[in-house]
Amino acid sequence: MRQAFAVARFFLLLGAGLVFRYGELPRADAAPPTLLPPPRHMENLGRGVVALSQGEGKVWIGWRLLGTDPEELAFNLYRTTGSAPPVKVNKEPLTKATHFVERGVDVTLSNAYFVRPVLKGKELPASAPFKFPAHPPIRDYLALPLQTLPGHTPNDLSVGDLDGDGEYEIIVKQEMRPRDNSQKGTTGETKLEAYKLDGSFLWRINLGKNIREGAHYTPFLVYDLDGDGKAEIVCRTADGTVDGKGKVLGDPRADHRNRDGYVLEGPEFLTVFDGVTGKELASTEYLPPRGRVASWGDNYGNRVDRFLACIAYLDGVRPSVVMCRGYYTRTVLVAWNWRDGKLTRVWTFDSDDGTPGNRAYRGQGDHSVTVGDVDGDGKDDIVYGACCIGSNGKGLYSTGLGHGDALHLSDIDPERPGLEVFNIHEHPRHPNGVSFRDARTGKLLWGKESADVGRGVALDIDPRYKGYEMWASGPGLEGVWDVKGNKISNRKPRSCNFGVWWDGDLLREILDRTTISKWDWENSTEKVLLSARGCTSNNSTKSTPGLCADILGDWREEVIWRSSDNKELRIYTTTLPTDHRLYTLMHDPQYRLSVAWQNVGYNQPTQPGFYLGHGMKPPPRPHITTARPGKP
């Protein structure tokens, strides 16, 4: 009887969502089972249907599989033409990759496509339709018209569901005369603009003359921070910032620029803006304040204004904002929550506040930041270049390897437990210009010597070797390395800039300037898959796209470039077939956060929290919920 009771209790608890520490049937006198941690609150996305005409009556259609979908979910695809009733395109429910090519379509009429999920033979509600007009252009991108002001250039982008309809809007940073922190001179006034994917203009925020213009001054975050289903925008503001409704923050007459164009006095704010209207919702003092400019490493304003920012699930359930200042010397991170219409400070990490051990974190930051659960406790940690700050705001480790320009966090070596970090270092005083380390402990797994490394990337480009391949640019750095640090090719791709999942296999393609290329591992050469004519990359020698992320269609990524005349964004989406069916990468928590910080500092490619590459296992089911907090 006692054993039967234990068995019955096991299945009751299993059905209630409880798990046992070792996954085995407990004894009747065992300790109570452990509850799974609460799921993360993430976006309630729609199906992201997209369709492109390929000529001769052929139309390519793609859509999302969600991270919350049952594995057995199938789809029916429907087309409406003109005012005619919908026609089901497929004969049998579609159970494989979430794309389809329909032939014989009359494109002289307007068409629209939508999908209906099918579960256990029953159709579920239809997705939002994707519409295109009669005689659609034959091209592999969507054109989004911009309202670029004279003298401005579209630069970095981000995405978020601003209005709660389940589909992404695009936020554009428009620049005038950006400068690096090391360069004196007056800059322009940065604008943030929001657009729907059909080109509808939503609002414009002017950061004003007292926010200096450039990659290191103007990181902006787009995320649903309070769980109401609509994303907010968060960034640093100052006197003269104008919100999307025309309200001026602070003193509209103030001009804090000095004769060299630097802004080294005057108030700084942290502001949350409404995603639908661009209206200021709340502002508070930006922390940490400048204080004494020279205490950050120079007296003219270079190092004091090195800003980074990210979103992190510090409690494992709901997102927080982490705003950062400094990385060459003093390093400060401040975490905030936006809940119930209030900004609340969660913690501050300061390398120079006298806390024992914190001094080791000085000078370890990069020109970018990345986020992930490095210690497996379900909460996010901030990988701040060569060091790591835990979810509780305390230092996890500092490697002492120093500042660098590129940073990659993922399950780079799937044969090792946990995550790894590939990092490069500028003018190192040690023999590890390139480093590969354990993300949890900071233990150096291998390194490569170089006097100064400017670029480095970690992508799976060679199926002969398990895990990602890595390469970098710097004196003495030749060839490509595997996850053990072995040189597997004497030649390397011409760029080590960005990566994109584009074609049909699980390898990653190389993205540089306005070109997507495939690495031919047998001949150590590159094959061009896409050349985006009429487009221009951003950020000078960094040559980055506006954004590279999985925002439409199936799990593969879109690349967004600005047109060369700055009049539109071009959203390129792959129309190549694939046999792989994966849920949208935007429902992998680490990947989604990497999209949120992509515009920060020197833009870096996205990375998921699991190994996505040749020979991968099925990706783990994300432990997420898309319901609003407090609602079913």
Side-chain angles (χ1 to χ4, degrees), residues 6-35:
V7 173
R9 186 178 66 167
F10 170 79
F11 285 106
L12 282 171
L13 293 173
L14 187 65
L18 302 175
V19 295
F20 300 102
R21 185 173 299 275
Y22 299 104
E24 59 187 21
L25 188 67
R27 302 196 322 264
D29 58 352
T34 303
L35 280 168

Side-chain angles (χ1 to χ4, degrees), residues 186-397:
T186 302
T187 68
E189 299 182 8
T190 298
K191 316 299 190 298
L192 299 178
E193 298 176 347
Y195 296 85
K196 294 188 71 65
L197 290 177
D198 64 3
S200 300
F201 178 81
L202 298 180
W203 47 256
R204 178 181 293 120
I205 295 167
N206 183 353
L207 296 184
K209 63 174 68 73
N210 293 308
I211 295 293
R212 203 165 190 249
E213 207 171 32
H216 304 297
Y217 299 101
T218 53
F220 63 99
L221 300 173
V222 183
Y223 214 84
D224 180 9
L225 297 169
D226 57 5
D228 67 352
K230 301 177 181 180
E232 290 80 32
I233 292 84
V234 181
C235 64
R236 187 175 64 101
T237 59
D239 283 340
T241 294
V242 183
D243 76 3
K245 301 293 284 186
K247 176 186 174 182
V248 181
L249 279 60
D251 182 354
R253 297 165 298 177
D255 186 347
H256 300 298
R257 296 172 294 182
N258 65 20
R259 63 182 181 181
D260 291 329
Y262 289 99
V263 181
L264 302 180
E265 59 183 28
E268 300 172 287
F269 313 121
L270 176 65
T271 300
V272 180
F273 295 96
D274 177 70
V276 176
T277 65
K279 175 185 176 181
E280 177 211 16
L281 297 176
S283 292
T284 190
E285 179 187 8
Y286 188 92
L287 297 177
R290 296 184 191 92
R292 180 171 171 267
V293 170
S295 68
W296 295 89
D298 61 66
N299 61 9
Y300 70 96
N302 180 357
R303 290 166 175 81
V304 68
D305 277 358
R306 297 283 178 164
F307 297 97
L308 299 174
C310 59
I311 302 292
Y313 286 73
L314 300 174
D315 64 1
V317 179
R318 299 178 68 181
S320 300
V321 172
V322 182
M323 304 300 289
C324 318
R325 186 176 215 142
Y327 42 75
Y328 286 121
T329 52
R330 183 185 177 194
T331 294
V332 185
L333 291 76
V334 183
W336 300 86
N337 283 342
W338 173 247
R339 308 275 192 270
D340 302 318
K342 295 181 180 179
L343 263 174
T344 306
R345 187 174 65 87
V346 181
W347 50 250
T348 297
F349 176 89
D350 189 340
S351 65
D352 290 20
D353 67 357
T355 300
N358 277 17
R359 194 77 176 174
Y361 292 77
R362 282 176 57 91
Q364 302 303 306
D366 280 6
H367 288 302
S368 60
V369 64
T370 186
V371 179
D373 176 13
V374 305
D375 55 9
D377 65 356
K379 303 174 183 179
D380 285 328
D381 311 291
I382 295 91
V383 178
Y384 205 77
C387 64
C388 185
I389 312 303
S391 58
N392 59 0
K394 301 182 184 301
L396 281 181
Y397 63 80

Side-chain angles (χ1 to χ4, degrees), residues 41 48 52 61 70 103 109 137 150 162 166 176-177 210 234 257 305 364-365 473 483 538 579 604 611:
H41 294 282
L52 291 173
I61 310 101
R103 291 172 170 80
L109 302 174
L162 302 182
M176 300 179 71
R177 298 182 303 278
N210 293 308
V234 181
R257 296 172 294 182
D305 277 358
Q364 302 303 306
S473 63
V483 294
N538 290 333
D579 294 328
Q604 299 293 306
Y611 171 63

Side-chain angles (χ1 to χ4, degrees), residues 491-506:
R491 297 179 63 184
K492 59 187 176 185
R494 288 169 291 179
S495 74
C496 44
N497 190 11
F498 247 68
V500 56
W501 280 288
W502 185 259
D503 68 3
D505 61 28
L506 296 171

Side-chain angles (χ1 to χ4, degrees), residues 116 294 443 466 507 526:
R116 283 184 179 271
K443 177 183 177 182
K466 193 65 175 290
L507 298 173
E526 296 171 58

Side-chain angles (χ1 to χ4, degrees), residues 109-191:
L109 302 174
S110 60
N111 288 279
Y113 288 90
F114 64 89
V115 294
R116 283 184 179 271
V118 181
L119 185 62
K120 297 180 180 179
K122 182 180 178 180
E123 280 196 332
L124 302 179
S127 71
F130 179 90
K131 304 174 183 178
F132 57 82
H135 303 286
I138 301 170
R139 59 193 184 193
D140 43 8
Y141 65 87
L142 306 178
L144 190 158
L146 296 175
Q147 296 187 20
T148 302
L149 295 173
H152 290 69
T153 300
N155 189 256
D156 293 333
L157 314 174
S158 193
V159 294
D161 182 5
L162 302 182
D163 55 11
D165 67 353
E167 303 300 336
Y168 286 119
E169 281 72 49
I170 296 181
I171 297 81
V172 185
K173 180 171 74 170
Q174 296 267 14
E175 293 185 330
M176 300 179 71
R177 298 182 303 278
R179 295 184 184 274
D180 187 83
N181 296 48
S182 61
Q183 301 170 0
K184 64 174 62 176
T186 302
T187 68
E189 299 182 8
T190 298
K191 316 299 190 298

